[in-house]
Amino acid sequence: MDEKTVQPIEADAVQPGAASAPATETSDPAAEAAPAPISSRCFVDRELSWLQFNRRVLMQAADRSVPLLERLNFFSIYQNNLDEFFMVRVGALIHRGILLPDYTDPKTGWPTNVQLKMISREVTHQQTTLDPVYRLLLQDLKAENIELLDFRRISKVDESVARKVFAEMRQLISPRIVDAAHPMPFLDNRECYTAALLRKNDKYTLGLVDITRLPPYRVFEINGGQKVILTEELVRHFAPQLFKKYLVKDTCTIRATRNADVFIDENTRITDLDFRESMEKLIRKRKRQQIVRLQICGKPDSHLMELLVKYLRIPEKQIYISPYPFRMDFGKVLNAAPSLRYPEHHPARNVKLRKGDYFRYIDQNDLLLSFPYQSMMPFIEMLYEAADDPEVVSIRITLYRLAVNSKVAAALAYAADQGKEVLCLLELRARFDEKNNIDYSEMLEDAGCSIIYGLPMQKVHCKLCLITRKTETGVKYITQIGTGNYNEATAEQYCDLALITGDQQIGADAAAVFESLSLGQIPPQTDSLITAPRGFRSLILDLLDAELAKGSDGYVAIKVNSMNDMEIMKALIACSRAGVTVELFIRGICCLRPGLKDFTENIRVKSVVSRYLEHSRIYVFGRGDTQRIILGSGDLLNRNTRRRVEAFVEIKAPEIKAQVTEIMDAFRDDDVKGWSMLSDGSYRKAEAAKGTDSQERLTEYFSARTVEPLPVPVVKTKKRSWLYRLFHG
């Protein structure tokens, strides 16, 4: 369907929490024979959909079935997510509004200024949810004898302790005034400052206190309980001691969020001898980008607000007043009962293979690892086996995000030291991990690894590792294709899959992919390894067409993090209209609204937000013997299908198919942590939950599975005569 058939709608008709309200359309008798054109009411704005996801994160903080300090952590995650949303998405929209003032969104028909307006409306609306969640947290913390010190109602004992803490910090605090002779200092991104309205001789002046180098909070124990002093509140309380020659009329805490939507100039990249140096320049540039949001904690006096707007030169529509603190991550330092946190979880080490077992096993069997239910160590042990195996010629791997103390990087460095050819494609443009990747590129290079940085116009986002052996019978490959990063830290927090296979065609295709990347070329579509941007999108559309042809016998199930690819969404609508059952398990952004009569009534959308971050990408088409299951690194966002290098593989082994099917079944049945998307774009949890938690179910399932090493083959020796044995022992 041509995108021109999508009609714009009025932004003012949109309610908070829903991208668009269903409109009543008049029927045209002349068009009854043909399907109605796809309307914009089938789609949800990308940014509003993401804000709905973040609201589901927030609701974990209100869920009393979640341990208290984990709820506090979800509150903090909500705040951090919103920070990154403003830095990346709002920053990009502001740029687009300046560069392309006539641009309209192809899904909703909204111009950029309307998108920004709707974002502001939804963020403000979510404050009405945030405030009671915050108060509930304080109430439940107090019941556990944990209190956030409230300086508005402070006892003499607490005042004495606070005064002592302030005295310890005083030497690190440098107050300053802002006026014609003292310009406004630069505000670091996402750092807190105390702003004060000062009065002297009937003249108002702005005072500013930099608290960025102070610890964000201090916890002290008193009378068997714990009290948390937030530094931002402490400095506000003692501001009169910092501005002794002024009358402090009002104070607040301010925090600037800066645009992180900066890109390296491709012409610079092509001519620059050192891409790492270019990326370091980009990181420095990002730190000084424009402010896209100013948060104010408190109820600032009108004079104080005027001064902040004047000196920061920020429109009032980009200012957000917050009644709660900006830092709520103090739960990690509290001395609390184990019941206030999740039970400790250790990924199962039920892959019984040891160094020396992996190659023999994988030559005959595919191996699926499911994180965080199973440990990532088998993959790392396999890298060490490759490093020490004399038949191994090379290890090639794509690296997007690595742990701070990466065991994967250590194994690769060891392999290079053992004389193996180790090629690492390090994507330096992994947002907010650029500096970490720059450091690792230097370390791995020093260790003897060959380093390449990817392609000029596409991020290399695939999770692909290829081990090449030269054996007596010829070249043999072992390939790992994953849905998540080679990061041991996130492998214990994110739900991901890694397939390790000895399929030689997949290995040959992976070799072709690495060859293309080494030559600076976009990988071609190959026979067994599915890649984006050349082949993945077209394959998905072909598979959807095949299910559409089956009508009501067709079946599609997709588990991804996000979806906004217009052509794929239109294909899903066509499937629904043909009677195909479509199940979408989408954690975050979903720009397709289910349950709309004549359009998406056969589509169901579910989002699971729980202890672990759902991150795996699984695509299922059909049922029974002809069912096809694909997993890989990419979502159904435009960036994944069109602008990134991704890698996918079709699951062939029946036992691996059964494991992936169990994951999809668990999501379908989840009525504890699952949220169903309604036709207005909002989400609702099941009212009569039966108690099926997908992550708990999968923990039990994958913990119970074991992989045993293959029996060691018995080598028959020729029996020698007694005379031979006499002389040869």
Side-chain angles (χ1 to χ4, degrees):
M1 187 71 68
D2 195 314
E3 291 186 4
K4 290 181 180 178
T5 60
V6 177
Q7 300 299 318
I9 58 174
E10 292 297 325
D12 288 337
V14 180
Q15 300 300 317
S20 59
T24 302
E25 297 185 353
T26 57
S27 60
D28 181 359
E32 287 182 359
I38 296 176
S39 166
S40 63
R41 69 191 184 102
C42 291
F43 305 109
V44 179
D45 179 74
R46 183 192 198 279
E47 320 309 341
L48 294 187
S49 182
W50 185 92
L51 289 169
Q52 278 288 295
F53 157 68
N54 205 33
R55 183 182 180 278
R56 297 195 291 280
V57 173
L58 175 64
M59 296 317 295
Q60 285 288 95
D63 185 350
R64 280 180 159 164
S65 69
V66 177
L68 178 57
L69 295 187
E70 305 297 345
R71 290 165 53 198
L72 190 65
N73 186 47
F74 275 111
F75 191 94
S76 183
I77 291 171
Y78 170 86
Q79 292 179 302
N80 187 66
N81 284 350
L82 201 57
D83 288 348
E84 292 195 7
F85 175 77
F86 272 90
M87 291 165 64
V88 178
R89 296 305 306 171
V90 175
L93 286 173
I94 290 174
H95 269 173
R96 191 171 73 190
I98 295 170
L99 298 174
L100 302 169
D102 298 327
Y103 178 88
T104 58
D105 183 77
K107 295 179 292 298
T108 61
W110 294 351
T112 303
N113 67 319
V114 171
Q115 283 185 286
L116 288 168
K117 175 184 176 183
M118 301 312 298
I119 288 169
S120 179
R121 178 187 294 186
E122 177 62 17
V123 170
T124 302
H125 173 72
Q126 286 189 10
Q127 299 274 17
T128 61
T129 304
L130 202 59
D131 186 54
V133 173
Y134 173 67
R135 286 188 280 105
L136 182 64
L137 280 172
L138 293 187
Q139 173 188 319
D140 291 349
L141 285 168
K142 189 172 183 179
E144 295 292 339
N145 221 354
I146 302 169
E147 289 188 65
L148 202 60
L149 200 63
D150 187 346
F151 285 95
R152 295 168 300 177
R153 294 178 289 274
I154 189 169
S155 69
K156 290 183 179 180
V157 174
D158 290 345
E159 173 77 25
S160 177
V161 173
R163 191 175 299 278
K164 182 179 178 181
V165 172
F166 179 75
E168 293 172 1
M169 295 181 177
R170 178 64 185 88
Q171 299 304 313
L172 300 174
I173 299 174
S174 300
R176 62 184 296 174
I177 61 169
V178 180
D179 57 20
H182 303 83
M184 184 76 180
F186 181 82
L187 302 186
D188 288 330
N189 186 38
R190 297 201 292 176
E191 295 288 355
C192 293
Y193 298 80
T194 299
L197 180 64
L198 310 177
R199 186 174 177 180
K200 185 177 182 181
N201 300 328
D202 294 328
K203 181 181 178 181
Y204 287 113
T205 304
L206 176 64
L208 202 67
V209 184
D210 184 345
I211 59 176
T212 61
R213 290 169 179 78
L214 301 177
Y217 38 74
R218 183 76 65 86
V219 178
F220 66 95
E221 297 190 9
I222 186 169
N223 297 328
Q226 297 178 86
K227 295 199 175 181
V228 182
I229 301 177
L230 296 178
T231 299
E232 57 194 76
E233 296 298 317
L234 179 75
V235 173
R236 284 182 64 188
H237 183 66
F238 290 107
Q241 294 188 24
L242 300 172
F243 300 99
K244 292 183 178 179
K245 294 184 178 181
Y246 295 86
L247 175 63
V248 178
K249 295 288 293 180
D250 191 22
T251 62
C252 65
T253 304
I254 63 173
R255 185 172 179 266
T257 308
R258 293 188 177 275
N259 184 6
D261 182 54
V262 291
F263 299 97
I264 190 161
D265 181 72
E266 299 303 337
N267 294 323
T268 301
R269 167 161 185 190
I270 292 169
T271 59
D272 200 331
L273 295 177
D274 192 343
F275 184 39
R276 280 196 299 237
E277 182 179 336
S278 299
M279 289 305 301
E280 287 170 343
K281 291 177 182 176
L282 178 145
I283 295 168
R284 290 194 294 271
K285 179 181 178 182
R286 175 187 289 160
K287 291 179 179 179
R288 305 196 69 83
Q289 287 282 94
Q290 71 182 110
I291 296 173
V292 294
R293 176 183 61 163
L294 181 71
Q295 293 171 282
I296 300 177
C297 183
K299 295 180 179 179
D301 178 280
S302 59
H303 292 93
L304 180 53
M305 180 69 84
E306 287 174 10
L307 290 173
L308 289 171
V309 171
K310 172 185 175 182
Y311 288 117
L312 289 173
R313 299 175 183 177
I314 183 170
E316 288 198 40
K317 64 182 179 181
Q318 291 176 222
I319 297 176
Y320 294 83
I321 307 297
S322 169
Y324 33 79
F326 303 132
R327 292 289 299 267
M328 291 288 287
D329 58 348
F330 52 81
K332 58 191 175 186
V333 301
L334 293 174
N335 181 20
S339 61
L340 298 186
R341 294 187 170 92
Y342 282 128
E344 193 170 358
H345 169 72
H346 298 287
R349 291 296 304 272
N350 50 8
V351 175
K352 304 299 183 182
L353 308 181
R354 294 292 178 263
K355 185 179 168 184
D357 296 331
Y358 287 95
F359 291 175
R360 278 198 313 113
Y361 183 89
I362 294 165
D363 278 346
Q364 300 182 41
N365 304 276
D366 286 354
L367 175 63
L368 183 73
L369 299 176
S370 180
F371 313 129
Y373 314 116
Q374 293 173 293
S375 172
M376 191 180 180
M377 284 308 297
F379 172 72
I380 296 169
E381 289 170 355
M382 188 181 72
L383 290 179
Y384 278 104
E385 181 172 324
D388 288 331
D389 192 311
E391 291 185 338
V392 170
V393 176
S394 66
I395 302 173
R396 285 170 275 184
I397 191 169
T398 59
L399 301 173
Y400 197 76
R401 299 187 195 275
L402 289 166
V404 174
N405 297 303
S406 173
K407 294 179 182 178
V408 172
L412 295 170
Y414 175 77
D417 190 57
Q418 295 302 107
K420 309 303 180 187
E421 178 193 338
V422 180
L423 174 71
C424 302
L425 188 150
L426 259 159
E427 181 50 80
L428 299 189
R429 292 165 294 182
R431 201 187 300 272
F432 304 126
D433 266 352
E434 297 97 340
K435 184 63 173 68
N436 190 49
N437 285 1
I438 287 170
D439 293 342
Y440 269 119
S441 71
E442 294 171 347
M443 184 275 282
L444 289 167
E445 200 168 54
D446 289 343
C449 302
S450 297
I451 305 296
I452 56 177
Y453 300 132
L455 304 177
M457 301 301 291
Q458 285 86 16
K459 281 186 181 180
V460 179
H461 187 253
C462 60
K463 323 304 181 194
L464 191 61
C465 179
L466 178 68
I467 297 170
T468 304
R469 292 183 291 160
K470 186 177 181 181
T471 70
E472 292 179 356
T473 58
V475 173
K476 281 193 171 183
Y477 298 110
I478 289 178
T479 314
Q480 187 268 349
I481 308 100
T483 68
N485 297 300
Y486 298 106
N487 185 317
E488 314 89 72
T490 57
E492 295 190 3
Q493 302 164 7
Y494 293 9
C495 296
D496 271 308
L497 296 171
L499 178 74
I500 305 174
T501 179
D503 185 305
Q504 294 308 293
Q505 185 58 57
I506 292 174
D509 290 351
V513 168
F514 277 108
E515 182 174 330
S516 294
L517 294 174
S518 297
L519 295 173
Q521 300 169 357
I522 298 173
Q525 178 52 40
T526 53
D527 293 330
S528 296
L529 195 66
I530 307 154
T531 59
R534 288 273 169 83
F536 171 65
R537 191 163 177 266
S538 59
L539 175 64
I540 295 298
L541 291 171
D542 288 344
L543 291 171
L544 289 174
D545 282 344
E547 294 307 306
L548 182 148
K550 299 176 186 177
S552 59
D553 292 330
Y555 176 72
V556 175
I558 297 174
K559 179 184 183 296
V560 290
N561 301 320
S562 300
M563 178 175 73
N564 77 337
D565 186 292
M566 197 70 173
E567 193 171 351
I568 289 175
M569 290 192 295
K570 287 179 179 180
L572 289 169
I573 293 172
C575 283
S576 175
R577 284 175 148 177
V580 177
T581 298
V582 179
E583 295 183 312
L584 303 177
F585 305 114
I586 302 180
R587 185 198 77 216
I589 297 165
C590 179
C591 292
L592 180 63
R593 292 202 287 137
L596 292 178
K597 184 173 172 30
D598 298 327
F599 291 104
T600 59
E601 55 195 320
N602 291 308
I603 297 176
R604 301 291 177 265
V605 179
K606 178 177 278 189
S607 169
V608 170
V609 180
S610 191
R611 174 177 183 174
Y612 306 118
L613 183 78
E614 289 298 335
H615 196 250
S616 58
R617 290 92 169 190
I618 302 168
Y619 301 83
V620 180
F621 302 92
R623 292 188 172 97
D625 295 339
T626 61
Q627 184 181 73
R628 299 183 68 178
I629 300 178
I630 295 166
L631 64 82
S633 58
D635 294 313
L636 293 177
L637 290 173
N638 290 320
R639 68 186 187 190
N640 301 106
T641 59
R642 307 180 192 205
R643 300 193 300 273
R644 287 185 173 184
V645 175
E646 309 280 6
F648 306 82
V649 65
E650 183 172 351
I651 303 296
K652 298 290 182 67
E655 64 274 16
I656 305 294
K657 274 190 171 184
Q659 293 176 54
V660 177
T661 299
E662 179 67 22
I663 294 172
M664 303 300 272
D665 290 345
F667 273 84
R668 182 183 305 106
D669 297 340
D670 193 325
D671 57 3
V672 174
K673 298 298 182 181
W675 294 75
S676 295
M677 187 180 186
L678 306 181
S679 59
D680 66 355
S682 64
Y683 286 75
R684 183 176 63 195
K685 293 185 80 171
E687 295 180 0
K690 298 176 183 177
T692 302
D693 183 319
S694 58
Q695 292 187 358
E696 288 183 1
R697 172 173 164 178
L698 293 173
T699 297
E700 294 178 9
Y701 176 79
F702 283 105
S703 296
R705 298 187 62 83
T706 59
V707 176
E708 299 290 344
L710 298 178
V712 177
V714 177
V715 180
K716 293 184 178 181
T717 58
K718 183 178 179 182
K719 190 173 181 179
R720 303 291 184 176
S721 68
W722 67 268
L723 187 62
Y724 182 92
R725 295 197 305 272
L726 177 65
F727 286 100
H728 294 86

